[in-house]
C-alpha cells in the first residue's frame, strides 16, 4: 500500500480513529461501575502493558491467556486484547486496563486472566483485589485519573505510550500521526519549520539542554551534497529507561520526527544509534520503519512531494561515553567511540565528515506534537527558560517507581511525595540523585527546587537525560558517590588525562575512605581534584563525572568526617567500618550462625552464647541473615 496524498492519510485517520474512539472516550468519562458485556456494552478493549518491565513479569503470557479465555467463552469478536506501550507505573506492573470504563488493574498475573474475563468482562464486576490501593486512604482506586501517580503528570513525549498499539501504524495515524510531516512537506518551507521549533523553546533532552531549533538551523545553513539526521538512542545512565520506553511504546513518533528534521535541514538519510541491549525497542523500531516505508511515509517522493528520506539502524555495544554525540558518530563510522574536541561541531562536520544533526529520542518525540498543536502551546508549558515537560525514570527508595512526565518547574517535593508516593517503609528521605552519574545528590533543603535546566545546575546537580534516584536514611552518601564514580571510571574512553587518570585517583581516595584509611587531608584532595577534572576534561562525561563527589562533599560533609575521623558509617553500608558482635542475652546457642559462617569466625558450644572473632570475620552479614533471635549486632 502506498499513500500518495494527504487525502489518503486523512482516510486512514478517520477509519482507524473509530477503533480508538473507546480509548479516547475513556479519557473523558469517570467510571463508577464496571462496563462488562453483561451490562450492555457492545464492544470492549483490554489494554495490556507490553513494555520491557511488564514483559519481564509475563505480560505477554497474560495477553495469550486473556485471548484464549475470550475464545473459550465465544466472545473474542466482542472484546479486543491489545498490547500497548509502557503505562509508566512500573512499581505496580504488569498493568491491565479495561476500556471504556478505564478500570486499572495492577500486578496482574497470568492466573488472573480467567477471573478478569468471567468477572469483569462477562459479569460486569470489578475485581477489587487487583485494583490499586491508595496508601494514604487505604481505599481501592479503579480509575488511573484518580491516582496521585498520574494526577500531576502531563504526558507530551509519552502521549501515546500505554494508549496505542506501537506495532500498528494506523493507530498512530489515528492520533494525528504523520500529519505534522504532511503539513511541513505540503505547506511550509524548511525555515518555517525551524522557526516553529525555535519559538517553542524546546531544548535537548539528552542532558546538554542545547536549543533544538538553533541546532537544526546551524545544520540547515551548511552547504553540502549530503547531510544526516541522527537519533541518539544510546541511553546508558544507571536506572534510566525513558528513551527505551518511548521507542517501545511510540516508535512512529521518532520516525516522523526524523523525517521532519531531514526536510528542515536538507537531509535524505537518517540513522538511529541504539544499544543492542534494547531488543524490544529495536524490534518495534524496525517494524515502524518497515511500515512507514510500506505506507510511503519513508522512501522517495513522500506524500507526492520531491522530498525523499529513509532511516537505518546502527547498533551500539553499550558504551556510556557513546552518548556523547562525537563519540557516537565515531562509533557509527566503525571507529573507537571517543569524543573529539569541538569545534567543529557535528552540524558542520559529523558523520563521514558531513553536516549532521544529533537529537536524542525524547527530544524527537516532542517534535510532531509541537508542530501539530503549535509552538505557542508548547511554550506555554514549563518555565521561562525551560519549556515543555521532562520525562524522568523515578527509582530507588520510593513507593511509586516508574516512568513519569511532568511540566518543567514542578518541584522535587511534588515528584517525590505526591507522584512518587513518598519513601518506602516510612523511612526518612535523605537525598535524590538527578542526572545520573553526571548529576549531583540533593538534600531535604532542595526539595522545593523547581525542576528545570537552570535551577538544578544552580544547586549543584543537573537535569541529565532524566534519571532520578531517591535515597533514604539507610544510604551512605560516601558509598553512593563511590558507586557513581566507579561507573564513570569503568565507562571512560580514556582519551584525556583528567578523566582517565584523575577519576581513577578520585576513586582510589573514596575506596581509602570507605575502607577506614582516610584522613581529613583526603577530603581536601577530593574537592580540589574534582574541580580540576571538571575544568579540564575533554567531554561532558569527564567534565561532569566529579559531580556526585562534589555535591555529597557539599551536602554531607559530616558523613565524610565520620568516615575519616571516627571510622564509622552511620548507614552501616561500608563493611570495613563495621563490627559484628553477638548479644549474649539474646543468643540461645542454636549454633545456626556458626554453621553458616563461611570463614568459621563464630565460636561457641550448643545452648551457650556464641562470640565472633573480629580478626577472622569478613563482615558478610550471613550470621545476621540466619539468626532467628536478632542476637547479631552491627556497630
Amino acid at each position: 500500500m502506498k499513500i500518495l496524498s494527504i487525502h489518503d492519510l486523512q482516510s486512514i485517520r478517520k477509519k482507524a480513529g473509530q477503533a480508538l474512539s473507546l480509548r479516547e472516550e475513556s479519557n473523558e468519562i469517570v467510571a463508577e461501575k464496571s462496563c462488562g458485556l453483561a451490562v450492555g456494552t457492545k464492544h470492549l478493549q483490554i489494554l495490556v502493558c507490553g513494555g520491557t518491565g511488564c514483559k519481564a513479569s509475563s505480560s505477554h503470557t497474560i495477553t495469550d491467556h486473556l485471548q484464549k479465555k475470550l475464545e473459550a467463552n465465544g466472545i473474542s469478536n466482542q472484546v479486543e486484547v491489545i498490547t500497548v506501550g509502557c503505562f509508566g507505573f512500573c512499581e505496580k506492573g504488569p498493568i491491565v486496563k479495561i476500556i471504556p470504563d478505564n478500570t486499572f488493574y495492577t500486578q496482574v498475573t497470568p492466573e488472573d486472566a480467567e477471573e478478569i474475563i468471567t468477572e469483569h468482562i462477562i459479569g460486569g464486576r470489578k475485581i477489587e483485589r487487583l485494583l490499586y490501593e491508595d496508601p494514604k486512604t487505604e481505599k481501592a482506586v479503579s480509575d488511573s485519573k484518580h491516582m496521585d501517580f498520574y494526577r500531576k503528570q502531563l504526558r507530551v513525549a509519552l502521549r501515546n505510550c500505554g494508549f496505542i498499539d506501537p506495532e500498528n501504524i494506523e493507530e498512530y495515524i489515528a492520533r494525528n500521526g504523520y500529519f505534522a510531516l504532511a503539513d511541513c512537506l505540503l505547506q511550509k518551507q524548511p525555515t518555517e519549520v525551524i522557526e516553529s521549533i525555535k519559538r517553542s523553546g524546546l531544548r535537548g533532552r539528552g542532558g546538554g539542554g542545547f536549543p533544538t531549533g538553533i541546532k537544526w538551523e546551524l545544520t540547515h545553513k551548511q552547504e553540502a551534497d549530503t547531510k544526516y539526521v541522527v537519533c541518539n538512542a544510546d541511553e546508558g545512565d544507571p536506572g534510566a529507561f525513558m528513551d527505551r520506553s518511548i521507542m517501545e511504546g511510540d516508535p512512529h513518533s521518532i520516525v516522523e520526527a526524523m523525517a521532519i528534521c531531514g526536510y528542515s535541514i536538507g537531509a535524505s538519510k537518517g540513522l538511529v544509534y541504539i544499544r543492542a541491549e534494547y531488543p524490544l525497542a529495536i524490534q518495534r523500531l524496525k517494524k515502524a520503519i518497515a511500515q512507514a516505508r510500506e505506507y510511503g511515509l519513508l522512501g522517495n517522493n513522500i506524500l507526492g512531494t520531491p522530498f525523499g528520506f529513509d532511516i537505518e539502524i546502527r547498533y551500539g555495544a553499550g558504551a556510556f561515553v557513546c552518548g556523547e554525540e562525537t563519540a557516537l558518530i565515531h562509533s557509527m563510522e566503525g571507529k573507537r567511540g571517543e569524543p573529539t574536541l569541538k569545534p567543529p561541531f557535528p552540524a558542520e562536520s559529523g558523520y563521514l565528515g558531513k553536516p549532521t544533526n544529533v537529537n536524542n529520542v525524547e527530544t524527537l518525540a516532542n517534535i510532531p506534537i509541537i508542530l501539530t498543536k503549535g509552538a505557542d502551546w508548547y511554550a506555554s508549558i514549563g518555565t521561562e527558560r525551560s519549556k515543555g515537560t521532562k520525562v524522568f525514570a523515578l527509582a530507588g527508595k520510593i513507593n511509586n517507581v516508574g516512568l513519569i512526565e511532568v511540566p518543567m518547574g514542578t518541584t522535587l517535593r511534588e515528584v517525590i511525595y505526591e507522584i512518587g508516593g513518598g519513601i518506602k517503609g516510612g523511612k526518612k528521605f535523605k537525598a535524590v540523585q538527578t542526572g545520573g552519574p553526571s548529576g549531583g545528590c540533593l538534600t531535604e533543603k532542595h526539595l522545593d527546587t523547581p525542576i528545570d535546566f537552570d535551577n538544578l545546575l544552580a544547586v549543584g546537580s543537573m537535569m541529565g537525560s532524566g534519571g532520578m534516584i531517591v535515597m533514604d536514611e539507610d544510604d551512605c552518601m560516601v558509598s553512593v558517590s563511590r558507586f557513581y564514580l566507579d561507573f564513570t571510571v569503568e565507562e571512560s574512553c580514556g582519551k584525556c588525562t583528567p578523566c582517565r587518570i584523575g577519576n581513577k585517583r578520585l576513586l582510589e581516595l573514596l575506596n581509602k575512605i570507605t575502607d577506614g584509611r582516610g584522613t581529613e587531608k583526603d577530603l581536601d584532595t577530593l574537592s580540589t581534584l574534582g574541580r580540576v577534572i571538571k575544568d579540564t576534561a575533554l567531554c561532558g562525561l569527564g567534565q561532569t563525572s566529579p559531580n556526585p563527589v562534589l555535591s555529597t562533599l557539599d551536602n554531607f560533609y559530616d558523613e565524610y568526617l565520620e568516615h575519616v575521623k571516627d571510622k564509622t558509617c552511620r548507614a552501616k553500608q561500608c563493611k570495613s567500618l563495621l563490627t559484628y558482635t553477638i548479644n549474649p542475652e539474646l543468643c540461645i546457642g542454636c549454633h545456626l550462625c556458626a554453621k553458616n559462617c563461611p570463614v568459621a569466625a563464630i565460636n561457641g558450644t550448643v545452648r551457650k552464647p556464641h562470640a565472633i572473632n573480629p580478626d577472622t570475620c569478613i563482615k558478610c552479614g550471613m550470621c545476621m541473615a540466619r539468626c532467628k533471635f536478632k542476637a547479631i549486632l552491627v556497630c
Side-chain angles (χ1 to χ4, degrees):
M1 176 180 179
K2 291 284 185 181
I3 295 176
L4 301 177
S5 71
I6 185 67
H7 300 294
D8 298 316
L9 204 60
Q10 290 168 338
S11 297
I12 288 181
R13 178 173 63 178
K14 183 177 179 181
K15 177 185 174 184
Q18 294 171 354
L20 285 186
S21 59
L22 284 177
R23 277 171 261 173
E24 296 283 4
E25 290 168 11
S26 73
N27 283 337
E28 306 299 329
I29 65 171
V30 178
E32 298 296 336
K33 298 179 180 179
S34 281
C35 194
L37 296 175
V39 291
T41 302
K42 294 181 179 179
H43 194 80
L44 299 179
Q45 294 176 346
I46 305 175
L47 309 185
V48 182
C49 179
T52 291
C54 285
K55 280 181 75 70
S57 297
S58 302
S59 70
H60 56 292
T61 307
I62 295 170
T63 301
D64 292 342
H65 284 203
L66 287 168
Q67 189 63 48
K68 287 176 181 176
K69 296 302 176 185
L70 290 172
E71 291 169 1
N73 284 279
I75 53 174
S76 57
N77 62 330
Q78 295 173 271
V79 185
E80 288 181 276
V81 181
I82 302 163
T83 298
V84 295
C86 179
F87 284 100
F89 208 171
C90 306
E91 176 74 20
K92 297 297 180 182
I95 304 294
V96 172
K97 195 172 186 178
I98 312 297
I99 301 296
D101 67 355
N102 218 34
T103 301
F104 194 87
Y105 288 136
T106 62
Q107 296 178 316
V108 180
T109 67
E111 292 71 32
D112 296 322
E114 183 171 5
E115 189 175 0
I116 289 172
I117 300 303
T118 57
E119 285 296 302
H120 191 131
I121 301 302
I122 297 176
R125 296 177 291 273
K126 292 181 193 275
I127 304 168
E128 294 290 325
R129 65 180 180 81
L130 295 179
L131 296 176
Y132 170 72
E133 185 177 287
D134 190 322
K136 295 176 183 176
T137 63
E138 296 185 350
K139 292 183 179 179
V141 182
S142 65
D143 192 325
S144 57
K145 295 192 296 295
H146 298 153
M147 296 178 187
D148 287 341
F149 180 77
Y150 290 105
R151 205 187 304 271
K152 285 206 168 183
Q153 290 194 51
L154 178 60
R155 291 166 76 89
V156 176
L158 298 176
R159 61 194 175 277
N160 289 325
C161 294
F163 191 88
I164 66 169
D165 177 354
E167 298 188 10
N168 185 340
I169 188 174
E170 296 197 356
E171 289 206 354
Y172 179 72
I173 292 172
R175 295 273 285 174
N176 292 316
Y178 291 106
F179 278 85
L181 173 62
D183 184 57
C184 291
L185 298 185
L186 300 172
Q187 304 292 335
K188 293 177 180 175
Q189 294 297 314
T191 52
E192 294 179 85
V193 181
I194 293 171
E195 192 57 38
S196 292
I197 302 303
K198 287 171 64 177
R199 200 169 69 252
S200 74
L202 176 65
R203 294 171 64 175
R205 298 303 197 248
F210 191 81
T212 304
I214 292 177
K215 183 180 273 194
W216 286 22
E217 186 175 56
L218 291 172
T219 317
H220 169 80
K221 288 180 177 179
Q222 301 302 311
E223 296 289 338
D225 57 347
T226 304
K227 296 181 184 180
Y228 293 96
V229 175
V230 172
C231 171
N232 180 354
D234 188 68
E235 182 178 49
D237 290 19
F241 50 99
M242 302 79 61
D243 291 350
R244 185 190 72 195
S245 295
I246 291 172
M247 289 185 289
E248 290 174 357
D250 192 16
H252 282 284
S253 66
I254 307 306
V255 174
E256 181 179 13
M258 291 180 71
I260 291 169
C261 180
Y263 173 71
S264 302
I265 69 172
S268 60
K269 187 78 170 183
L271 301 166
V272 179
Y273 183 81
I274 182 170
R275 52 179 52 207
E277 300 162 10
Y278 287 176
L280 183 60
I282 291 169
Q283 172 196 322
R284 289 184 177 161
L285 199 56
K286 278 184 172 179
K287 189 156 192 175
I289 291 169
Q291 288 176 339
R293 286 179 186 142
E294 180 190 350
Y295 280 58
L297 296 165
L298 284 179
N300 298 322
N301 303 115
I302 297 173
L303 292 170
T305 70
F307 176 66
F309 188 81
D310 208 351
I311 297 173
E312 289 182 11
I313 295 178
R314 302 289 173 84
Y315 302 110
F320 180 62
V321 72
C322 287
E324 197 278 337
E325 58 185 5
T326 59
L328 179 155
I329 288 168
H330 293 147
S331 177
M332 288 199 304
E333 292 172 334
K335 301 173 185 174
R336 185 178 174 86
E338 294 178 335
T340 49
L341 194 63
K342 294 178 279 191
F345 294 92
E348 304 165 89
S349 177
Y351 182 67
L352 302 178
K354 301 295 184 180
T356 303
N357 183 87
V358 183
N359 291 125
N360 91 314
V361 170
E362 185 185 341
T363 308
L364 291 170
N366 283 286
I367 298 298
I369 196 167
I370 287 173
L371 296 172
T372 300
K373 291 198 170 187
D376 294 338
W377 165 80
Y378 191 80
S380 69
I381 305 167
T383 62
E384 184 178 352
R385 288 173 51 82
S386 299
K387 304 298 185 183
T389 59
K390 182 70 187 79
V391 180
F392 290 97
L394 186 60
K397 308 290 186 63
I398 192 87
N399 281 313
N400 298 337
V401 170
L403 196 70
I404 68 169
E405 184 173 5
V406 294
M408 294 282 197
T410 304
T411 66
L412 288 167
R413 187 183 302 278
E414 289 174 294
V415 169
I416 293 168
Y417 285 99
E418 295 184 42
I419 296 172
I423 311 303
K424 269 188 183 296
K427 298 270 187 174
K428 185 175 168 52
F429 168 81
K430 188 170 190 177
V432 57
Q433 169 87 0
T434 67
S438 304
C441 295
L442 304 179
T443 67
E444 195 167 8
K445 69 182 180 183
H446 301 115
L447 283 177
D448 293 312
T449 300
I451 299 169
D452 65 19
F453 291 101
D454 302 316
N455 280 311
L456 289 179
L457 282 174
V459 293
S461 189
M462 63 185 295
M463 183 86 70
S465 61
M468 187 178 288
I469 300 178
V470 178
M471 288 160 270
D472 68 10
E473 59 196 87
D474 294 333
D475 287 297
C476 168
M477 302 314 296
V478 185
S479 288
V480 166
S481 65
R482 183 182 63 171
F483 166 79
Y484 281 113
L485 198 63
D486 183 60
F487 175 84
T488 306
V489 167
E490 183 70 23
E491 293 294 336
S492 171
C493 72
K495 184 174 183 178
C496 73
T497 301
C499 189
R500 183 182 70 252
I501 304 298
N503 279 325
K504 186 71 173 176
R505 298 292 87 83
L506 277 181
L507 182 60
E508 289 171 355
L509 285 168
L510 287 171
N511 284 330
K512 181 181 175 185
I513 292 168
T514 55
D515 285 344
R517 299 178 288 108
T519 65
E520 286 189 62
K521 185 180 178 182
D522 292 329
L523 303 186
D524 294 332
T525 306
L526 276 177
S527 179
T528 302
L529 181 56
R531 296 184 193 286
V532 169
I533 295 168
K534 280 180 69 72
D535 292 339
T536 57
L538 173 62
C539 78
L541 183 148
Q543 291 162 8
T544 58
S545 58
N547 282 347
V549 180
L550 296 175
S551 65
T552 51
L553 276 171
D554 288 342
N555 295 317
F556 299 96
Y557 192 74
D558 54 339
E559 282 197 41
Y560 279 88
L561 278 178
E562 288 172 3
H563 280 67
V564 299
K565 289 180 70 176
D566 304 329
K567 308 301 180 186
T568 61
C569 173
R570 68 173 71 172
K572 297 181 172 55
Q573 296 296 317
C574 299
K575 285 185 178 181
S576 297
L577 301 180
L578 303 181
T579 302
Y580 282 78
T581 59
I582 296 177
N583 185 341
E585 295 181 4
L586 296 177
C587 179
I588 67 166
C590 69
H591 210 57
L592 193 60
C593 59
K595 286 180 180 178
N596 287 279
C597 179
V599 292
I602 301 175
N603 305 311
T605 57
V606 177
R607 296 184 182 176
K608 290 187 178 181
H610 288 36
I612 298 175
N613 183 347
D615 296 327
T616 309
C617 176
I618 60 172
K619 303 167 185 179
C620 65
M622 184 63 73
C623 54
M624 179 175 282
R626 296 297 182 182
C627 182
K628 298 179 180 179
F629 305 97
K630 299 183 179 179
I632 311 295
L633 304 177
V634 183
C635 57

